[in-house]
Amino acid sequence: MKNFALGFATIFFLFSCGNSPFKNSKSQKILEEEKITHFPTWQERTLILPDVPEIPFENHLAERDVPFAGIVSHHLLAYKFIDQWFSELSEHNPKIKTFIVLSPSHWNLSRADFSLTFGAWNCDGTFLETDKKIQKVLLEKLDGKIEDDVFLYEHGVSTIAPFIAKYFPKSKVVAIAYDANLPVNTKIAKRLSSALESFVAKKDFFILISSDFSHHHNVEKTKQNDNVSRKFFNDPNRATWQFAFCDNSLAMYALTHATKEKFQAIIQRNTNSFEISQQDEDDITSYFFCYFVKTARN
């Protein structure tokens, strides 16, 4: 993988594949006694994160905005902006109890249409655990399967898990991974949207879309692709979801079809791997950090 962002993710992947030096914590002992699988994150290893330049915010949430869903990158290269996105979310919706994380299944590890787990993610000695009750509900609705091995290496979840643990220490997750490659299988996508319907209306839940945007292009083409994606962000609905030029189009379909009320997107920041790293200007990945809100803004 030439792209610096993907290369950095690969470093994380390699660090994660060895023996995990879990800290001796009470939560770890409980998980081991209950024989619950736990997955590594980048926080386990001595990994020096790169310097990241200051990149201006595009928008902030209004005072009364309470996001019910959002999009965040799963490239650790953008860690500073992932952190800032979660920070602002915690100020506007601090009572989230369960994050439903929608992730592409990288490296084609998923065998089922939807892979799920009862596992937990090691976040610097504490553990981000699965909401077992909600997981069982979604497992049935999705006709999914428990595939722990998918999440052992899935950076679509493990990259962002430590930020959830940091800003929402009392929350839990339900992680769902699936083949998100285009063209979208609408039959499978409808199953996901149907499963999410009851959760987009509840304040305790947050639909977290793990996604990166335009991949493997130069600066000019990346900008063009991001402008196409903005057609979706300008008016997210059942007709515009397909304009999202990303690696998780299935989630865009599911969100727009699961949400019955009209909603809008607030783009906190739009940047890309070249703007951050100044490397690989012909192999760029772009990022949109976005919140979705149902309340009208004055």
Side-chain angles (χ1 to χ4, degrees), residues 67-69 98-100 131 133-139 141-142 174 176 192-207 255 258-259 294:
F68 72 97
T98 303
F99 285 85
I100 299 176
D131 186 327
K133 179 180 178 181
I134 303 304
Q135 197 262 21
K136 289 178 181 178
V137 171
L138 287 171
L139 189 65
K141 287 187 174 183
L142 293 170
V174 175
I176 307 170
L192 180 58
S193 65
S194 178
L196 295 177
E197 279 184 9
S198 61
F199 297 104
V200 296
K202 296 180 180 179
K203 294 181 179 179
D204 291 347
F205 295 89
F206 190 87
I207 310 302
L255 178 68
T259 311
K294 295 178 182 177

Side-chain angles (χ1 to χ4, degrees), residues 214-228 245 281 284 286:
S214 178
H215 290 68
H216 308 307
H217 295 289
N218 60 24
V219 173
E220 182 179 356
K221 182 62 176 176
T222 299
K223 183 64 175 178
Q224 291 175 2
N225 289 345
D226 282 359
N227 285 337
V228 173
F245 214 105
E281 61 183 312
I284 299 172
S286 66

Side-chain angles (χ1 to χ4, degrees), residues 177-194:
Y178 43 80
D179 180 1
N181 292 326
L182 292 173
V184 167
N185 184 321
T186 55
K187 184 179 292 186
I188 293 175
K190 286 178 181 178
R191 206 188 312 165
L192 180 58
S193 65
S194 178

